[in-house]
Amino acid sequence: MATLGDGSMFYCDIDSDTGKLTKKKKIALGIHSTTLQLFHAFDANHVFASSDRPTVIYSNSGKLVFSTVNMQDINHMCPINTSAYPDALALASSSGFTVGSVATIQKLHIQTIPLGESPKKIAYQEATSTYGIITLRNNNVTAPSVSTLCQNVSDSSDVANGMDPDSRFKKDSNNTEVHNLIIMDKKTYEVLHVHRFAPTEWALSIHSYFCNEKHYFVVGTGFVTADDTEPKDGRLIIFRWDGNTLNQIASTDVKGAVICVTEVCGKILAGINNKVTVFEFKEEDGLKSECKYHNTLMAISLRSRGQFILVGDLLRSMALLVYKQLEERLEDIAKDYKANWMTQVEILDDDTFLGAEHHNNLFVCTKEGGLEEEDRRLLKLAGQFHLGENVNVFREGSLVLQNPSGAPPLVHKTILLWECKWSYWTDRLH
C-alpha cells in the first residue's frame, strides 16, 4: 500500500516468489494526506489509515475491505496493549487525544421494507421528510400489500369522474395491473397515503419539486393499451403532501407518455415520447406548456444544470440543449452523433457529460470550444469503460460523511451508479 498527499491510496498484489507487483488499484480515502499504521485485532493484522476520514483496512476472502471509523480528522494512531487497555488504539487529533478499541468491523446497514408490490420509481422530499414511491400491484395476487392495507387512499378514477366522463378513468374490474403513488415517512417507514391511478394509466416518472415556497411531487404517466405500440396519451400530475392528506393540485393531458421529469430554471421539464417540453406551473393557473423540443427519437433521461439540459435519447446518444427563458425556447447546442442505445445520462460539469448505454458501457463526452461552428456543436468522446452491468440510475452523492473542515474536495464529484440487478457501484470521477 502507498498513499499520496491528496488522500488517495494505491494498493497492489505482490508475487512472493518474484516480488513483482500486479493488479494495481486506486481508492480515495480522503482529501488530505494519509498515513498508514499496522495493528493487530481479532487475531488478524489490520491497517489504520489516519486522515480526515479515518479507515480500517483488512483482508477478507483474499480481498481488501475498507471500513470507516466513527471519528474524524485523525492525525496519528499508535497501538497499545496493557492490562487496562488490551488491544487498544491511541488516536491523536487536532482537538485531543483518545484511547479506544476497534469494535467488530462496520458494515453498511441495510433495512428491507416489504411492500408486497413492485417499486418502480422513488423521490425523496426533505422538507416533508417523506418518500414518494411509484409501485405496481398485480390484482391477481391475493396477498396483502401496502396499497391494500393503507387506510388513507385516493383514486384517480374518483377524481377524474367528478370532472370528466373520460372512459380512461372508469373503474375496470378486469384490469390486472394497478399503479400507485405511495407516500412513506422517512423515519418510521410508515405508509401515510396511497393514490391509485386509472386502470390503464402507468405511472412512469416522479420528481420532488419546489415552487412558490411550497413542495410538490410531480408524477408523469402514460395510458397503455394493447392496441398501441407506444402510449399516445398521458398526464402530468402535481401532488402536494400537507402532513395529513395528499392533494392533487393540478393535472394536464399530454400527447404521449411522460417518461422522465425534472426541472430547469424553476420550471418543470418533461420528456414526453419524442418531445422535451417545459411547463410553467402556478396553483391558480395550473400547468401551461411553454416550449417544446422535437428533435429526439425518444427522450428517456433528462438532467439540468442552470439553463443547460442534457437529453438521453433512446438510440441517438445524448444532446445538450439550452433553455432561453426570455425567448421561451429550447435550442440544441451540441450533440453526440454516434448511435448509442442509452439508459441514463448525467452532467458532471459545464463541459463534461456521463452516459450509460444498453451494452453495459459507460462513456464520457466533452463539449469543446473551437473556431469552427461544426466543432462547437459536437460532443466529443473523452473516455469509455466497460462496466458489465446495465445502469439505470445516476445520482450525485457519497456513502461517507462530507469533509468536516469545509475544504473543497480534490475530486470533482462522486456519482453513485444503480444497476438493474438492485446493486450499486460508486465511482469517483476526476
Side-chain angles (χ1 to χ4, degrees), residues 191-382:
V191 176
L192 305 174
H193 191 100
V194 172
H195 179 84
R196 297 170 182 164
F197 292 95
T200 60
E201 187 176 24
W202 287 26
L204 303 173
S205 54
I206 185 170
H207 178 69
S208 178
Y209 176 57
F210 177 73
C211 178
N212 299 324
E213 305 300 323
K214 295 180 181 179
H215 294 266
Y216 305 89
F217 284 110
V218 182
V219 177
T221 72
F223 289 91
V224 178
T225 62
D227 299 331
D228 297 330
T229 56
E230 64 180 37
K232 296 180 180 179
D233 299 291
R235 288 196 301 162
L236 192 65
I237 313 170
I238 308 293
F239 295 96
R240 185 174 74 239
W241 173 252
D242 62 8
N244 297 305
T245 308
L246 183 68
N247 300 301
Q248 180 175 313
I249 306 300
S251 172
T252 185
D253 290 346
V254 296
K255 295 297 183 181
V258 186
I259 301 171
C260 49
V261 61
T262 184
E263 58 185 282
V264 59
C265 298
K267 299 183 180 180
I268 298 173
L269 182 69
I272 307 171
N273 281 14
N274 65 335
K275 302 183 293 294
V276 177
T277 307
V278 176
F279 290 89
E280 183 178 10
F281 168 68
K282 294 181 181 178
E283 281 202 11
E284 59 273 15
D285 300 327
L287 285 160
K288 176 185 176 183
S289 175
E290 187 175 280
C291 57
K292 299 179 181 179
Y293 174 80
H294 293 269
N295 194 16
T296 61
L297 183 66
M298 180 173 289
I300 57 105
S301 179
L302 294 172
R303 289 292 184 269
S304 67
R305 181 185 177 98
Q307 63 180 346
F308 296 103
I309 301 165
L310 186 64
V311 182
D313 200 335
L314 179 64
L315 293 176
R316 296 178 181 174
S317 192
M318 59 175 73
L320 183 64
L321 314 181
V322 60
Y323 171 50
K324 297 186 175 180
Q325 193 168 3
L326 296 179
E327 303 175 19
E328 296 185 355
R329 184 163 62 96
L330 289 172
E331 178 181 319
D332 61 334
I333 57 176
K335 288 184 178 181
D336 177 21
Y337 288 92
K338 295 181 180 178
N340 283 313
W341 191 346
M342 302 298 292
T343 59
Q344 192 57 251
V345 295
E346 180 61 70
I347 300 177
L348 300 181
D349 57 40
D350 290 342
D351 300 314
T352 313
F353 312 98
L354 175 66
E357 44 97 331
H358 187 66
H359 296 291
N360 305 334
N361 299 313
L362 303 178
F363 66 97
V364 175
C365 290
T366 58
K367 178 172 68 70
E368 300 181 1
L371 297 178
E372 299 294 333
E373 175 69 18
E374 182 177 340
D375 292 336
R376 294 195 299 269
R377 293 187 61 84
L378 179 65
L379 292 178
K380 295 184 178 180
L381 181 66

Side-chain angles (χ1 to χ4, degrees), residues 20-32:
K20 184 179 179 180
L21 299 177
T22 59
K23 299 180 181 179
K24 184 179 73 172
K25 297 181 180 179
K26 179 183 178 182
I27 186 172
L29 296 179
I31 63 173
H32 296 156

Side-chain angles (χ1 to χ4, degrees), residues 30-250:
I31 63 173
H32 296 156
S33 178
T34 302
T35 59
L36 304 176
Q37 179 67 44
L38 185 69
F39 71 98
H40 192 81
F42 309 110
D43 299 324
N45 287 327
H46 297 65
V47 174
F48 191 96
S50 301
S51 69
D52 54 298
R53 294 171 180 164
T55 305
V56 173
I57 308 169
Y58 65 100
S59 177
N60 185 15
S61 301
K63 296 182 180 179
L64 282 186
V65 179
F66 300 83
S67 179
T68 57
V69 179
N70 58 347
M71 297 183 68
Q72 297 174 349
D73 284 330
I74 300 299
N75 298 327
H76 189 71
M77 185 281 294
C78 178
I80 60 174
N81 187 8
T82 66
S83 58
Y85 301 104
D87 294 328
L89 304 178
L91 306 173
S93 66
S94 57
S95 59
F97 176 80
T98 304
V99 175
S101 61
V102 177
T104 54
I105 301 303
Q106 297 181 22
K107 297 181 180 180
L108 184 65
H109 296 285
I110 300 174
Q111 182 177 358
T112 301
I113 310 300
L115 299 178
E117 47 198 80
S118 301
K120 296 296 183 181
K121 302 286 182 178
I122 186 169
Y124 172 57
Q125 195 168 93
E126 184 177 4
T128 59
S129 296
T130 57
Y131 297 104
I133 307 171
I134 291 175
T135 65
L136 169 64
R137 188 187 79 249
N138 191 328
N139 280 338
N140 292 331
V141 178
T142 58
S145 65
V146 289
S147 62
T148 58
L149 296 176
C150 183
Q151 300 297 317
N152 299 322
V153 179
S154 56
D155 197 309
S156 285
S157 301
D158 297 334
V159 174
N161 283 337
M163 301 181 294
D164 186 358
D166 194 327
S167 61
R168 298 176 303 175
F169 298 98
K170 293 181 179 179
K171 296 181 179 179
D172 184 5
S173 59
N174 296 323
N175 184 54
T176 59
E177 295 182 343
V178 175
H179 281 245
N180 306 293
L181 169 61
I182 294 174
I183 304 299
M184 179 179 288
D185 185 86
K186 169 194 171 183
K187 297 180 180 179
T188 64
Y189 301 107
E190 176 188 0
V191 176
L192 305 174
H193 191 100
V194 172
H195 179 84
R196 297 170 182 164
F197 292 95
T200 60
E201 187 176 24
W202 287 26
L204 303 173
S205 54
I206 185 170
H207 178 69
S208 178
Y209 176 57
F210 177 73
C211 178
N212 299 324
E213 305 300 323
K214 295 180 181 179
H215 294 266
Y216 305 89
F217 284 110
V218 182
V219 177
T221 72
F223 289 91
V224 178
T225 62
D227 299 331
D228 297 330
T229 56
E230 64 180 37
K232 296 180 180 179
D233 299 291
R235 288 196 301 162
L236 192 65
I237 313 170
I238 308 293
F239 295 96
R240 185 174 74 239
W241 173 252
D242 62 8
N244 297 305
T245 308
L246 183 68
N247 300 301
Q248 180 175 313
I249 306 300

